[in-house]
């Protein structure tokens, strides 16, 4: 059995078993009918009406346009491969997903790191721009044991992500990150309809960054940020003949509690979670120096409810996530004899309260066993309350977003399907406060080139239009179905400010060729 399990995970979605009367969107139907599939608790797979279903695709993705965060690329070109599968083997329930994408980010300004938008404020920036070559890998598995004594089931989740990136221009950053998460879990069945579940979580993160020059006769300015527009010493760090190196190393511990109700026509999933994350940034290798500590408590809740009635279905969803962040700054000196850095003083200088919540409703109309059309509405709230203690700097933004989604499926006699989706939306800020004191002894480069345009982007109001078309061919002899999908998302600001105009936009489009397996 272990051999079959490993094969199922590694080739997830590559082949499908023959079965009768399948439809092109059985995987999509399975995902909208079930509850709790997105939970990190792997043992909850036993609460679903499990199906052997998979999807494998290759894609090309492109992003362009200047309405964006100032540390993101003006243009991106990426190709990739994705596969996922739900599979049952001798009462063991398995889920596997693997993704790979690689390509180039073009015209990336100021950043020297793979992901400059992580919550950790201790990032390194420069005053130049250039193109990045990047690769991203992601592997996720969930394994649920058979139900023992008709009461209890165990599970294990595994999530591993690896990313690498480099810029081929001085100063030349090379950045690599690894993220591993393990989630042991258990589900207890109170009866045929009710179950409670619990999972733990351990997550390990490490990122290595090095910046060097090929032309060592030229000196460049680097800035080690420590919070809202602030950086070490309020002066640049110079890089010439020697390189700059930094390591980020963190651990997250936590868990979640779940409840599932599985009735004949009504299903409910509820989850509450809490995690604690602590991550340190250190400069240098031989005698490392503390660059900062990034720490937060994370709280969250997720609710899903599905009601089936005749040839229609109602689905209600709610999610809430909040991170209470403390960032500690260290003041150190280097001992002349030992060469080790000694901490004189450390304190929380920067705090951030980040909140995201979403309320959604969807109505699905069936046509026999197939989906006829689907209509949905999402309302999102995002809050960002970033403060720096020393000079009372503040960057507070509260936003609301609204998205409407409609998808129509056209079924043909040969079992092929054409689907078209349209999803317009609007996002606006409802409140904001921004304070920053420029330095008389500094060029204020970070404030003028990064902080100010970032704040202007966070408070910008915009509308977006998403759309997709997909044609799924008739089933093959082994009951797999090939499809071609084209999707796009167009974003445009509704008002102009000092850094963005109404004429700017952001376009993200993707073409994919895939195979559905049953």
């Amino acid at each position: 059995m272990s051999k079959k399990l490993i094969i199922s995970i590694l080739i997830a979605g590559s082949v499908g078993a023959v079965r009768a009367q399948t439809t092109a969107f059985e995987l999509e139907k399975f995902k909208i009918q079930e509850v709790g599939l997105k939970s990190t608790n792997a043992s909850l797979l036993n609460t679903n009406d499990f199906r052997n279903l998979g999807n494998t695709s290759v894609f090309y993705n492109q992003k362009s346009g200047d309405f964006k965060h100032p540390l993101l690329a003006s243009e991106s070109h990426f190709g990739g491969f994705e596969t996922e599968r739900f599979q049952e083997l001798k009462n063991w329930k398995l889920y596997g997903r693997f993704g790979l994408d690689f390509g180039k980010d073009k015209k990336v300004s100021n950043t020297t790191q793979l992901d400059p938008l992580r919550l950790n404020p201790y990032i390194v920036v420069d005053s130049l721009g250039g193109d990045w070559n990047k690769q991203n890998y992601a592997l996720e598995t969930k394994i649920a044991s058979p139900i023992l004594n008709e009461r209890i089931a165990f599970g294990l989740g595994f999530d591993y992500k690896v990313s690498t990136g480099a810029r081929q221009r001085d100063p030349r950053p090379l950045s690599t990150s690894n993220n591993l998460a393990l989630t042991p879990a258990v589900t207890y069945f109170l009866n045929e309809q009710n179950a409670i579940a619990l999972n733990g979580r351990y997550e390990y993160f490490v990122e290595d960054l090095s910046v060097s020059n090929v032309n060592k006769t030229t000196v460049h300015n680097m800035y080690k940020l420590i919070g809202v527009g602030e950086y070490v010493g309020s002066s640049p760090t110079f890089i010439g003949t020697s390189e700059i190196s930094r390591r980020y190393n963190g651990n997250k511990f936590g868990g979640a509690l779940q409840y599932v109700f599985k009735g004949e026509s009504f299903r409910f999933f509820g989850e509450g979670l809490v995690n604690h994350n602590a991550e340190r940034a250190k400069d240098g290798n031989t005698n490392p120096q503390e660059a900062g500590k990034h720490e937060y408590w994370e709280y969250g809740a997720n609710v899903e409810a599905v009601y089936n009635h005749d040839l229609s279905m109602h689905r209600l969803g709610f999610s809430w996530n909040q991170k209470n962040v403390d960032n500690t700054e260290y003041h150190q000196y280097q001992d002349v004899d030992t060469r080790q850095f000694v901490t004189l003083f450390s304190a929380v200088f920067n705090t951030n309260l980040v909140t995201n919540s979403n309320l959604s409703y969807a109505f699905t109309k069936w046509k026999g066993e197939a989906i006829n059309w689907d209509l949905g509405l999402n309302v999102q709230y995002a809050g960002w309350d970033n403060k720096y203690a020393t000079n009372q700097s503040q960057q507070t933004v509260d936003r609301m977003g609204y998205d409407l989604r409609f998808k129509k499926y056209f079924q043909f006699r040969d079992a092929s399907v054409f689907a078209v989706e349209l999803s317009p939306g609007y996002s606006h800020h409802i409140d904001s406060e921004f304070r920053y004191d420029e330095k008389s002894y500094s060029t204020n480069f970070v404030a003028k080139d990064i902080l100010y345009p970032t704040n202007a982007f966070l408070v910008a109001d915009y509308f977006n239009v998403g759309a997709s078309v997909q044609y799924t061919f008739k089933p093959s002899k082994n009951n797999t179905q090939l499809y071609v999908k084209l999707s796009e998302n167009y974003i445009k600001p509704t008002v102009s400010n000092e850094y963005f105009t109404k004429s700017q936009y952001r376009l993200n489009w993707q073409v994919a060729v895939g195979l559905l397996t049953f």
Side-chain angles (χ1 to χ4, degrees):
M1 184 189 70
S2 60
K3 182 178 179 181
K4 291 183 179 179
L5 184 149
I6 294 172
I7 293 174
S8 176
I9 292 174
L10 294 180
I11 65 173
S14 61
V15 296
V18 177
R19 61 184 306 274
Q21 297 181 343
T22 58
T23 63
F25 291 94
E26 283 198 68
L27 178 59
E28 188 171 344
K29 179 181 175 182
F30 172 68
K31 289 183 176 181
I32 65 175
Q33 282 183 320
E34 298 296 324
V35 295
L37 285 177
K38 295 181 181 179
S39 173
T40 56
N41 190 318
S43 63
L44 286 177
L45 292 176
N46 283 295
T47 65
N48 303 124
D49 291 334
F50 208 76
R51 300 283 303 279
N52 293 337
L53 299 166
N55 179 23
T56 300
S57 65
V58 293
F59 64 87
Y60 173 76
N61 177 269
Q62 181 175 316
K63 299 176 184 178
S64 60
D66 291 328
F67 181 61
K68 62 176 186 64
H69 192 285
L71 294 181
L72 294 182
S74 294
E75 189 175 334
S76 295
H77 301 265
F78 279 79
F81 167 82
E82 293 180 339
T83 183
E84 68 170 342
R85 186 163 181 83
F86 295 89
Q87 184 71 44
E88 185 171 2
L89 293 172
K90 295 183 178 180
N91 294 324
W92 288 78
K93 294 178 175 60
L94 314 171
Y95 171 74
R97 182 180 64 85
F98 175 75
L100 162 66
D101 66 75
F102 52 89
K104 179 172 287 189
D105 280 342
K106 295 186 175 181
K107 300 178 183 178
V108 186
S109 300
N110 305 127
T111 183
T112 61
Q113 297 186 243
L114 274 167
D115 183 7
L117 304 188
R118 291 200 307 122
L119 281 179
N120 192 328
Y122 301 108
I123 64 174
V124 181
V125 301
D126 57 37
S127 56
L128 300 175
D131 299 343
W132 279 71
N133 294 318
K134 293 183 177 181
Q135 292 183 347
N136 302 287
Y137 306 83
L139 173 65
E140 179 187 0
T141 63
K142 294 180 182 179
I143 304 172
S145 74
I147 301 175
L148 307 176
N149 298 323
E150 299 183 350
R151 286 293 184 182
I152 192 167
F154 299 94
L156 178 64
F158 174 88
D159 196 345
Y160 183 55
K161 296 181 178 67
V162 181
S163 297
T164 60
R167 184 178 66 193
Q168 304 302 311
R169 178 182 178 181
D170 286 350
R172 304 188 181 215
L174 173 63
S175 184
T176 302
S177 69
N178 292 265
N179 196 93
L180 170 66
L182 296 173
T183 51
V186 61
T187 295
Y188 182 77
F189 294 84
L190 302 172
N191 49 46
E192 291 184 358
Q193 293 183 322
N194 296 273
I196 56 174
L198 177 70
N199 74 267
R201 183 177 186 87
Y202 169 69
E203 189 170 341
Y204 173 75
F205 174 82
V206 60
E207 179 181 358
D208 288 303
L209 168 69
S210 63
V211 188
S212 61
N213 284 337
V214 171
N215 181 6
K216 298 184 181 300
T217 61
T218 303
V219 176
H220 297 282
N221 292 349
M222 309 292 295
Y223 301 84
K224 297 181 178 180
L225 306 190
I226 55 176
V228 192
E230 306 292 335
Y231 48 96
V232 174
S234 295
S235 62
T237 299
F238 302 108
I239 179 173
T241 57
S242 60
E243 72 172 26
I244 292 176
S245 64
R246 173 172 285 188
R247 163 166 279 210
Y248 300 85
N249 198 315
N251 294 279
K252 178 185 287 188
F253 295 91
L257 179 66
Q258 298 91 9
Y259 166 73
V260 178
F261 174 83
K262 182 180 178 181
E264 192 170 316
S265 59
F266 177 74
R267 296 185 179 187
F268 176 86
F269 165 80
E271 176 181 57
L273 63 89
V274 60
N275 296 304
H276 179 261
N277 180 83
E279 178 183 328
R280 290 182 178 272
K282 293 187 177 183
D283 289 331
N285 297 312
T286 305
N287 299 299
Q289 180 181 9
E290 294 282 1
K293 182 181 180 181
H294 172 62
E295 189 172 12
Y296 63 80
W297 281 96
E298 178 184 22
Y299 309 94
N302 297 290
V303 175
E304 298 175 66
V306 173
Y307 175 67
N308 274 291
H309 178 69
D310 295 331
L311 293 177
S312 63
M313 186 187 75
H314 302 268
R315 185 181 186 96
L316 184 67
F318 171 77
S319 65
W320 170 78
N321 182 276
Q322 182 170 284
K323 295 182 175 69
N324 193 349
V325 184
D326 289 332
N327 297 306
T328 301
E329 184 184 3
Y330 293 85
H331 293 255
Q332 298 178 293
Y333 75 94
Q334 190 172 28
D335 187 272
V336 177
D337 297 324
T338 65
R339 309 303 298 169
Q340 299 295 314
F341 282 92
V342 179
T343 300
L344 290 173
F345 173 75
S346 65
V348 174
F349 275 30
N350 174 234
T351 64
N352 198 358
L353 183 64
V354 183
T355 306
N356 289 282
S357 62
N358 182 81
L359 178 65
S360 64
Y361 168 77
F363 177 81
T364 303
K365 191 70 175 177
W366 308 112
K367 188 176 183 180
E369 294 296 319
I371 307 173
N372 188 9
W373 54 269
D374 187 72
L375 177 66
L377 173 67
N378 292 313
V379 179
Q380 306 104 24
Y381 166 78
W384 177 272
D385 189 10
N386 201 9
K387 297 178 180 179
Y388 193 81
T390 301
N391 55 5
Q392 303 300 310
S393 296
Q394 182 174 356
Q395 186 182 35
T396 299
V397 179
D398 294 287
R399 299 189 63 89
M400 293 294 297
Y402 318 91
D403 294 293
L404 184 67
R405 177 181 54 83
F406 178 75
K407 191 170 185 178
K408 171 65 178 175
Y409 303 79
F410 299 91
Q411 314 278 339
F412 302 106
R413 291 183 178 180
D414 62 355
S416 62
V417 179
F418 178 74
V420 58
E421 181 178 12
L422 184 65
S423 53
Y426 176 68
S427 179
H428 66 101
H429 79 284
I430 55 178
D431 188 27
S432 65
E433 186 172 353
F434 179 71
R435 296 195 304 268
Y436 178 76
D437 296 328
E438 292 189 5
K439 310 297 185 296
S440 60
Y441 49 84
S442 169
T443 63
N444 293 292
F445 162 77
V446 172
K448 294 177 179 177
D449 284 57
I450 299 177
L451 178 61
Y452 294 165
T454 294
N455 191 71
F457 178 76
L458 290 176
V459 301
D461 300 340
Y462 62 85
F463 71 86
N464 65 279
V465 178
S468 70
V469 292
Q470 178 174 331
Y471 181 74
T472 306
F473 296 85
K474 65 180 182 179
S476 64
K477 292 182 180 180
N478 67 344
N479 219 18
T480 60
Q481 287 188 271
L482 181 72
Y483 69 86
V484 178
K485 183 177 182 179
L486 177 64
S487 56
E488 67 81 31
N489 189 55
Y490 179 80
I491 302 175
K492 192 175 182 63
T494 57
V495 294
S496 299
N497 58 39
E498 185 178 353
Y499 293 91
F500 299 98
T501 67
K502 292 193 293 184
S503 63
Q504 292 179 314
Y505 68 92
R506 187 70 169 174
L507 177 63
N508 180 8
W509 66 269
Q510 178 173 295
V511 60
V513 178
L515 187 69
L516 299 169
T517 58
F518 309 106

